[in-house]
Amino acid sequence: MNHSFIDEHSHIDSALHRLDPRIKIVSFVALLFFIIFCRPDSLLSFALYSLLILLLIGISKIPVYYILKRCLIVVPFILMTSLFLLFGNQGATITLFHIGNFQINVAAAGWTMFLSVMIKGLLSVLCLTLLTASTPFPQLLAALENMKFPKLIIMILSFMYRYIFLIEDEAMKMWRAMKSRSAGGSCWLHLKAIANMIGILFIRSYERGETVYLAMCSRGFDGTLKRTYHFDLRKHDLAFLFNIFIVLISITILDNFLGR
């Protein structure tokens, strides 16, 4: 079975990949913080944040199509979340569509909030995609543990990353078996088969989880994961973190002077 790993480009030799994972986590979380708390009508800040992310993508040498492909998966969910903002505000309205006698009017404030949520969502997904794509996932978990992140969440993420491919293999085998046994037939029969397949997959995943847990306990698992990664901060790591904060603060100051 072929799988698409979230960190399949994490072994590229680039300036971003060579950074300490802890520095990357702090830098990207800071970037997310500044993006999320940016003013909804601050187009200048959004443009500068986009340029900063594009610069980081260029430094990372990760293929742009890979980043965009990952982001497009999340776009429908962001769209469904922000679509209701168009009709939830009172005040002045603008015409969104006008065809003959048919037109759709939305609140001007709602349109601004809709664009803001869409842009913030896309930029946030770009940040997280770049972070996970430029850092091996085990190193990312080790860095979170070193930064005193809750161990239970780290353990859940570790097991998810390790065994999600087994579940995907199981789902692909069941899908092929269903396709080979359901030539033709109505759409309703296909939907019913898919629903049954999801239920069986859940049961098999639960049983496999119990089996793996018992096997780990029999081998002395005490609830802690052994890490072999040791991190050392270097001068270029601190320089990158310092420059990121300088750029973010500069964008905020520039927006306050020119964006209003």
Side-chain angles (χ1 to χ4, degrees), residues 111-140:
W111 176 250
T112 302
M113 290 298 298
F114 169 78
L115 291 179
S116 173
V117 172
M118 286 294 298
I119 295 174
K120 289 181 179 181
L122 289 174
L123 294 180
S124 300
V125 172
L126 280 173
C127 290
L128 294 177
T129 303
L130 185 57
L131 173 62
T132 55
S134 62
T135 311
F137 201 76
Q139 290 188 20
L140 193 63

PDB file of all heavy atoms in Angstrom, residues 111-140:
ATOM      1  N   TRP A 111     -19.472  40.312   5.237  1.00  0.00           N
ATOM      2  CA  TRP A 111     -18.548  40.013   4.144  1.00  0.00           C
ATOM      3  C   TRP A 111     -17.091  40.215   4.579  1.00  0.00           C
ATOM      4  O   TRP A 111     -16.212  39.425   4.242  1.00  0.00           O
ATOM      5  CB  TRP A 111     -18.876  40.900   2.948  1.00  0.00           C
ATOM      6  CG  TRP A 111     -17.943  40.769   1.784  1.00  0.00           C
ATOM      7  CD1 TRP A 111     -17.046  41.685   1.342  1.00  0.00           C
ATOM      8  CD2 TRP A 111     -17.814  39.637   0.922  1.00  0.00           C
ATOM      9  NE1 TRP A 111     -16.362  41.208   0.261  1.00  0.00           N
ATOM     10  CE2 TRP A 111     -16.806  39.950  -0.028  1.00  0.00           C
ATOM     11  CE3 TRP A 111     -18.444  38.390   0.843  1.00  0.00           C
ATOM     12  CZ2 TRP A 111     -16.422  39.061  -1.026  1.00  0.00           C
ATOM     13  CZ3 TRP A 111     -18.054  37.502  -0.148  1.00  0.00           C
ATOM     14  CH2 TRP A 111     -17.055  37.845  -1.072  1.00  0.00           C
ATOM     15  N   THR A 112     -16.864  41.280   5.354  1.00  0.00           N
ATOM     16  CA  THR A 112     -15.512  41.531   5.865  1.00  0.00           C
ATOM     17  C   THR A 112     -15.063  40.409   6.790  1.00  0.00           C
ATOM     18  O   THR A 112     -13.921  39.928   6.706  1.00  0.00           O
ATOM     19  CB  THR A 112     -15.469  42.872   6.616  1.00  0.00           C
ATOM     20  OG1 THR A 112     -15.877  43.926   5.731  1.00  0.00           O
ATOM     21  CG2 THR A 112     -14.071  43.165   7.135  1.00  0.00           C
ATOM     22  N   MET A 113     -15.959  39.964   7.679  1.00  0.00           N
ATOM     23  CA  MET A 113     -15.617  38.878   8.595  1.00  0.00           C
ATOM     24  C   MET A 113     -15.402  37.570   7.842  1.00  0.00           C
ATOM     25  O   MET A 113     -14.515  36.779   8.174  1.00  0.00           O
ATOM     26  CB  MET A 113     -16.720  38.708   9.637  1.00  0.00           C
ATOM     27  CG  MET A 113     -16.804  39.850  10.646  1.00  0.00           C
ATOM     28  SD  MET A 113     -15.295  40.012  11.618  1.00  0.00           S
ATOM     29  CE  MET A 113     -15.258  38.418  12.438  1.00  0.00           C
ATOM     30  N   PHE A 114     -16.216  37.336   6.800  1.00  0.00           N
ATOM     31  CA  PHE A 114     -16.068  36.122   5.998  1.00  0.00           C
ATOM     32  C   PHE A 114     -14.685  36.063   5.345  1.00  0.00           C
ATOM     33  O   PHE A 114     -13.985  35.041   5.422  1.00  0.00           O
ATOM     34  CB  PHE A 114     -17.164  36.086   4.935  1.00  0.00           C
ATOM     35  CG  PHE A 114     -16.979  35.025   3.890  1.00  0.00           C
ATOM     36  CD1 PHE A 114     -17.288  33.707   4.164  1.00  0.00           C
ATOM     37  CD2 PHE A 114     -16.483  35.351   2.629  1.00  0.00           C
ATOM     38  CE1 PHE A 114     -17.110  32.719   3.209  1.00  0.00           C
ATOM     39  CE2 PHE A 114     -16.307  34.380   1.662  1.00  0.00           C
ATOM     40  CZ  PHE A 114     -16.619  33.061   1.956  1.00  0.00           C
ATOM     41  N   LEU A 115     -14.284  37.160   4.698  1.00  0.00           N
ATOM     42  CA  LEU A 115     -12.963  37.200   4.067  1.00  0.00           C
ATOM     43  C   LEU A 115     -11.854  37.051   5.105  1.00  0.00           C
ATOM     44  O   LEU A 115     -10.843  36.373   4.861  1.00  0.00           O
ATOM     45  CB  LEU A 115     -12.791  38.512   3.295  1.00  0.00           C
ATOM     46  CG  LEU A 115     -13.656  38.681   2.040  1.00  0.00           C
ATOM     47  CD1 LEU A 115     -13.384  40.037   1.402  1.00  0.00           C
ATOM     48  CD2 LEU A 115     -13.370  37.569   1.046  1.00  0.00           C
ATOM     49  N   SER A 116     -12.047  37.681   6.265  1.00  0.00           N
ATOM     50  CA  SER A 116     -11.032  37.602   7.315  1.00  0.00           C
ATOM     51  C   SER A 116     -10.840  36.172   7.809  1.00  0.00           C
ATOM     52  O   SER A 116      -9.702  35.690   7.947  1.00  0.00           O
ATOM     53  CB  SER A 116     -11.423  38.510   8.492  1.00  0.00           C
ATOM     54  OG  SER A 116     -10.548  38.344   9.579  1.00  0.00           O
ATOM     55  N   VAL A 117     -11.955  35.482   8.063  1.00  0.00           N
ATOM     56  CA  VAL A 117     -11.863  34.102   8.545  1.00  0.00           C
ATOM     57  C   VAL A 117     -11.246  33.196   7.481  1.00  0.00           C
ATOM     58  O   VAL A 117     -10.416  32.320   7.793  1.00  0.00           O
ATOM     59  CB  VAL A 117     -13.255  33.593   8.964  1.00  0.00           C
ATOM     60  CG1 VAL A 117     -13.221  32.097   9.272  1.00  0.00           C
ATOM     61  CG2 VAL A 117     -13.752  34.359  10.182  1.00  0.00           C
ATOM     62  N   MET A 118     -11.612  33.396   6.232  1.00  0.00           N
ATOM     63  CA  MET A 118     -11.049  32.576   5.158  1.00  0.00           C
ATOM     64  C   MET A 118      -9.535  32.786   5.038  1.00  0.00           C
ATOM     65  O   MET A 118      -8.762  31.825   4.957  1.00  0.00           O
ATOM     66  CB  MET A 118     -11.722  32.929   3.826  1.00  0.00           C
ATOM     67  CG  MET A 118     -13.135  32.395   3.678  1.00  0.00           C
ATOM     68  SD  MET A 118     -13.206  30.580   3.601  1.00  0.00           S
ATOM     69  CE  MET A 118     -12.258  30.241   2.123  1.00  0.00           C
ATOM     70  N   ILE A 119      -9.110  34.053   5.053  1.00  0.00           N
ATOM     71  CA  ILE A 119      -7.680  34.344   4.913  1.00  0.00           C
ATOM     72  C   ILE A 119      -6.906  33.835   6.119  1.00  0.00           C
ATOM     73  O   ILE A 119      -5.847  33.204   5.980  1.00  0.00           O
ATOM     74  CB  ILE A 119      -7.458  35.862   4.722  1.00  0.00           C
ATOM     75  CG1 ILE A 119      -8.076  36.316   3.402  1.00  0.00           C
ATOM     76  CG2 ILE A 119      -5.978  36.194   4.754  1.00  0.00           C
ATOM     77  CD1 ILE A 119      -8.048  37.818   3.192  1.00  0.00           C
ATOM     78  N   LYS A 120      -7.441  34.090   7.322  1.00  0.00           N
ATOM     79  CA  LYS A 120      -6.759  33.618   8.529  1.00  0.00           C
ATOM     80  C   LYS A 120      -6.686  32.096   8.560  1.00  0.00           C
ATOM     81  O   LYS A 120      -5.670  31.521   8.957  1.00  0.00           O
ATOM     82  CB  LYS A 120      -7.482  34.133   9.774  1.00  0.00           C
ATOM     83  CG  LYS A 120      -7.317  35.624  10.022  1.00  0.00           C
ATOM     84  CD  LYS A 120      -8.038  36.053  11.286  1.00  0.00           C
ATOM     85  CE  LYS A 120      -7.857  37.546  11.547  1.00  0.00           C
ATOM     86  NZ  LYS A 120      -8.543  37.977  12.791  1.00  0.00           N
ATOM     87  N   GLY A 121      -7.769  31.446   8.146  1.00  0.00           N
ATOM     88  CA  GLY A 121      -7.768  29.988   8.124  1.00  0.00           C
ATOM     89  C   GLY A 121      -6.735  29.432   7.157  1.00  0.00           C
ATOM     90  O   GLY A 121      -5.992  28.502   7.489  1.00  0.00           O
ATOM     91  N   LEU A 122      -6.666  30.014   5.951  1.00  0.00           N
ATOM     92  CA  LEU A 122      -5.708  29.532   4.953  1.00  0.00           C
ATOM     93  C   LEU A 122      -4.267  29.766   5.407  1.00  0.00           C
ATOM     94  O   LEU A 122      -3.406  28.890   5.271  1.00  0.00           O
ATOM     95  CB  LEU A 122      -5.962  30.227   3.615  1.00  0.00           C
ATOM     96  CG  LEU A 122      -7.234  29.812   2.880  1.00  0.00           C
ATOM     97  CD1 LEU A 122      -7.443  30.676   1.642  1.00  0.00           C
ATOM     98  CD2 LEU A 122      -7.163  28.346   2.485  1.00  0.00           C
ATOM     99  N   LEU A 123      -3.998  30.940   5.958  1.00  0.00           N
ATOM    100  CA  LEU A 123      -2.641  31.233   6.425  1.00  0.00           C
ATOM    101  C   LEU A 123      -2.247  30.333   7.595  1.00  0.00           C
ATOM    102  O   LEU A 123      -1.097  29.887   7.694  1.00  0.00           O
ATOM    103  CB  LEU A 123      -2.529  32.714   6.828  1.00  0.00           C
ATOM    104  CG  LEU A 123      -2.672  33.733   5.699  1.00  0.00           C
ATOM    105  CD1 LEU A 123      -2.548  35.152   6.240  1.00  0.00           C
ATOM    106  CD2 LEU A 123      -1.628  33.492   4.619  1.00  0.00           C
ATOM    107  N   SER A 124      -3.210  30.060   8.475  1.00  0.00           N
ATOM    108  CA  SER A 124      -2.923  29.172   9.611  1.00  0.00           C
ATOM    109  C   SER A 124      -2.621  27.757   9.144  1.00  0.00           C
ATOM    110  O   SER A 124      -1.694  27.102   9.640  1.00  0.00           O
ATOM    111  CB  SER A 124      -4.110  29.173  10.582  1.00  0.00           C
ATOM    112  OG  SER A 124      -4.363  30.468  11.081  1.00  0.00           O
ATOM    113  N   VAL A 125      -3.399  27.268   8.172  1.00  0.00           N
ATOM    114  CA  VAL A 125      -3.155  25.927   7.638  1.00  0.00           C
ATOM    115  C   VAL A 125      -1.800  25.868   6.931  1.00  0.00           C
ATOM    116  O   VAL A 125      -1.069  24.877   7.033  1.00  0.00           O
ATOM    117  CB  VAL A 125      -4.290  25.522   6.684  1.00  0.00           C
ATOM    118  CG1 VAL A 125      -3.958  24.213   5.982  1.00  0.00           C
ATOM    119  CG2 VAL A 125      -5.583  25.373   7.457  1.00  0.00           C
ATOM    120  N   LEU A 126      -1.431  26.937   6.232  1.00  0.00           N
ATOM    121  CA  LEU A 126      -0.123  26.991   5.588  1.00  0.00           C
ATOM    122  C   LEU A 126       0.998  26.888   6.618  1.00  0.00           C
ATOM    123  O   LEU A 126       1.985  26.169   6.411  1.00  0.00           O
ATOM    124  CB  LEU A 126       0.013  28.289   4.789  1.00  0.00           C
ATOM    125  CG  LEU A 126      -0.651  28.343   3.415  1.00  0.00           C
ATOM    126  CD1 LEU A 126      -0.574  29.753   2.839  1.00  0.00           C
ATOM    127  CD2 LEU A 126       0.015  27.367   2.457  1.00  0.00           C
ATOM    128  N   CYS A 127       0.844  27.603   7.741  1.00  0.00           N
ATOM    129  CA  CYS A 127       1.858  27.555   8.803  1.00  0.00           C
ATOM    130  C   CYS A 127       2.005  26.152   9.371  1.00  0.00           C
ATOM    131  O   CYS A 127       3.124  25.630   9.499  1.00  0.00           O
ATOM    132  CB  CYS A 127       1.483  28.532   9.919  1.00  0.00           C
ATOM    133  SG  CYS A 127       1.643  30.266   9.483  1.00  0.00           S
ATOM    134  N   LEU A 128       0.882  25.532   9.718  1.00  0.00           N
ATOM    135  CA  LEU A 128       0.942  24.196  10.321  1.00  0.00           C
ATOM    136  C   LEU A 128       1.453  23.161   9.321  1.00  0.00           C
ATOM    137  O   LEU A 128       2.205  22.249   9.693  1.00  0.00           O
ATOM    138  CB  LEU A 128      -0.447  23.808  10.829  1.00  0.00           C
ATOM    139  CG  LEU A 128      -0.989  24.657  11.990  1.00  0.00           C
ATOM    140  CD1 LEU A 128      -2.401  24.227  12.349  1.00  0.00           C
ATOM    141  CD2 LEU A 128      -0.079  24.555  13.199  1.00  0.00           C
ATOM    142  N   THR A 129       1.060  23.288   8.066  1.00  0.00           N
ATOM    143  CA  THR A 129       1.538  22.359   7.044  1.00  0.00           C
ATOM    144  C   THR A 129       3.046  22.479   6.859  1.00  0.00           C
ATOM    145  O   THR A 129       3.766  21.472   6.760  1.00  0.00           O
ATOM    146  CB  THR A 129       0.830  22.613   5.705  1.00  0.00           C
ATOM    147  OG1 THR A 129      -0.587  22.501   5.887  1.00  0.00           O
ATOM    148  CG2 THR A 129       1.273  21.615   4.655  1.00  0.00           C
ATOM    149  N   LEU A 130       3.538  23.720   6.832  1.00  0.00           N
ATOM    150  CA  LEU A 130       4.975  23.934   6.680  1.00  0.00           C
ATOM    151  C   LEU A 130       5.744  23.415   7.885  1.00  0.00           C
ATOM    152  O   LEU A 130       6.833  22.840   7.750  1.00  0.00           O
ATOM    153  CB  LEU A 130       5.249  25.425   6.472  1.00  0.00           C
ATOM    154  CG  LEU A 130       6.690  25.831   6.174  1.00  0.00           C
ATOM    155  CD1 LEU A 130       7.211  25.102   4.949  1.00  0.00           C
ATOM    156  CD2 LEU A 130       6.801  27.336   5.984  1.00  0.00           C
ATOM    157  N   LEU A 131       5.188  23.581   9.076  1.00  0.00           N
ATOM    158  CA  LEU A 131       5.852  23.090  10.289  1.00  0.00           C
ATOM    159  C   LEU A 131       5.963  21.569  10.278  1.00  0.00           C
ATOM    160  O   LEU A 131       7.040  21.006  10.529  1.00  0.00           O
ATOM    161  CB  LEU A 131       5.084  23.553  11.527  1.00  0.00           C
ATOM    162  CG  LEU A 131       5.554  22.997  12.873  1.00  0.00           C
ATOM    163  CD1 LEU A 131       6.989  23.420  13.159  1.00  0.00           C
ATOM    164  CD2 LEU A 131       4.631  23.446  14.002  1.00  0.00           C
ATOM    165  N   THR A 132       4.857  20.879   9.999  1.00  0.00           N
ATOM    166  CA  THR A 132       4.874  19.414  10.016  1.00  0.00           C
ATOM    167  C   THR A 132       5.641  18.829   8.835  1.00  0.00           C
ATOM    168  O   THR A 132       6.215  17.745   8.944  1.00  0.00           O
ATOM    169  CB  THR A 132       3.441  18.860  10.006  1.00  0.00           C
ATOM    170  OG1 THR A 132       2.713  19.399   8.880  1.00  0.00           O
ATOM    171  CG2 THR A 132       2.709  19.239  11.288  1.00  0.00           C
ATOM    172  N   ALA A 133       5.658  19.549   7.706  1.00  0.00           N
ATOM    173  CA  ALA A 133       6.356  19.033   6.534  1.00  0.00           C
ATOM    174  C   ALA A 133       7.864  19.207   6.635  1.00  0.00           C
ATOM    175  O   ALA A 133       8.616  18.478   5.980  1.00  0.00           O
ATOM    176  CB  ALA A 133       5.845  19.719   5.267  1.00  0.00           C
ATOM    177  N   SER A 134       8.324  20.147   7.443  1.00  0.00           N
ATOM    178  CA  SER A 134       9.760  20.421   7.540  1.00  0.00           C
ATOM    179  C   SER A 134      10.392  19.799   8.778  1.00  0.00           C
ATOM    180  O   SER A 134      11.591  19.994   9.010  1.00  0.00           O
ATOM    181  CB  SER A 134      10.000  21.938   7.560  1.00  0.00           C
ATOM    182  OG  SER A 134       9.389  22.532   8.696  1.00  0.00           O
ATOM    183  N   THR A 135       9.622  19.057   9.566  1.00  0.00           N
ATOM    184  CA  THR A 135      10.143  18.464  10.797  1.00  0.00           C
ATOM    185  C   THR A 135       9.697  17.007  10.878  1.00  0.00           C
ATOM    186  O   THR A 135       8.503  16.727  10.785  1.00  0.00           O
ATOM    187  CB  THR A 135       9.620  19.216  12.033  1.00  0.00           C
ATOM    188  OG1 THR A 135       9.798  20.616  11.860  1.00  0.00           O
ATOM    189  CG2 THR A 135      10.354  18.766  13.290  1.00  0.00           C
ATOM    190  N   PRO A 136      10.624  16.055  11.046  1.00  0.00           N
ATOM    191  CA  PRO A 136      10.202  14.665  11.268  1.00  0.00           C
ATOM    192  C   PRO A 136       9.263  14.575  12.465  1.00  0.00           C
ATOM    193  O   PRO A 136       9.518  15.179  13.517  1.00  0.00           O
ATOM    194  CB  PRO A 136      11.528  13.943  11.534  1.00  0.00           C
ATOM    195  CG  PRO A 136      12.557  14.779  10.857  1.00  0.00           C
ATOM    196  CD  PRO A 136      12.088  16.201  11.001  1.00  0.00           C
ATOM    197  N   PHE A 137       8.168  13.847  12.296  1.00  0.00           N
ATOM    198  CA  PHE A 137       7.135  13.831  13.335  1.00  0.00           C
ATOM    199  C   PHE A 137       7.659  13.341  14.688  1.00  0.00           C
ATOM    200  O   PHE A 137       7.303  13.913  15.720  1.00  0.00           O
ATOM    201  CB  PHE A 137       5.951  12.979  12.872  1.00  0.00           C
ATOM    202  CG  PHE A 137       4.675  13.295  13.589  1.00  0.00           C
ATOM    203  CD1 PHE A 137       3.959  14.436  13.287  1.00  0.00           C
ATOM    204  CD2 PHE A 137       4.204  12.458  14.583  1.00  0.00           C
ATOM    205  CE1 PHE A 137       2.782  14.732  13.951  1.00  0.00           C
ATOM    206  CE2 PHE A 137       3.028  12.747  15.256  1.00  0.00           C
ATOM    207  CZ  PHE A 137       2.319  13.894  14.940  1.00  0.00           C
ATOM    208  N   PRO A 138       8.511  12.302  14.758  1.00  0.00           N
ATOM    209  CA  PRO A 138       9.050  11.914  16.067  1.00  0.00           C
ATOM    210  C   PRO A 138       9.850  13.028  16.739  1.00  0.00           C
ATOM    211  O   PRO A 138       9.782  13.202  17.956  1.00  0.00           O
ATOM    212  CB  PRO A 138       9.939  10.709  15.724  1.00  0.00           C
ATOM    213  CG  PRO A 138       9.359  10.153  14.472  1.00  0.00           C
ATOM    214  CD  PRO A 138       8.894  11.344  13.704  1.00  0.00           C
ATOM    215  N   GLN A 139      10.604  13.797  15.938  1.00  0.00           N
ATOM    216  CA  GLN A 139      11.345  14.920  16.507  1.00  0.00           C
ATOM    217  C   GLN A 139      10.400  16.011  16.993  1.00  0.00           C
ATOM    218  O   GLN A 139      10.659  16.667  18.005  1.00  0.00           O
ATOM    219  CB  GLN A 139      12.319  15.482  15.480  1.00  0.00           C
ATOM    220  CG  GLN A 139      13.489  14.582  15.154  1.00  0.00           C
ATOM    221  CD  GLN A 139      14.517  15.265  14.290  1.00  0.00           C
ATOM    222  OE1 GLN A 139      14.568  16.490  14.210  1.00  0.00           O
ATOM    223  NE2 GLN A 139      15.337  14.473  13.614  1.00  0.00           N
ATOM    224  N   LEU A 140       9.307  16.197  16.270  1.00  0.00           N
ATOM    225  CA  LEU A 140       8.319  17.195  16.685  1.00  0.00           C
ATOM    226  C   LEU A 140       7.703  16.822  18.029  1.00  0.00           C
ATOM    227  O   LEU A 140       7.532  17.678  18.920  1.00  0.00           O
ATOM    228  CB  LEU A 140       7.229  17.308  15.613  1.00  0.00           C
ATOM    229  CG  LEU A 140       6.267  18.496  15.706  1.00  0.00           C
ATOM    230  CD1 LEU A 140       7.014  19.808  15.548  1.00  0.00           C
ATOM    231  CD2 LEU A 140       5.185  18.380  14.644  1.00  0.00           C
TER     232      LEU A 140
END
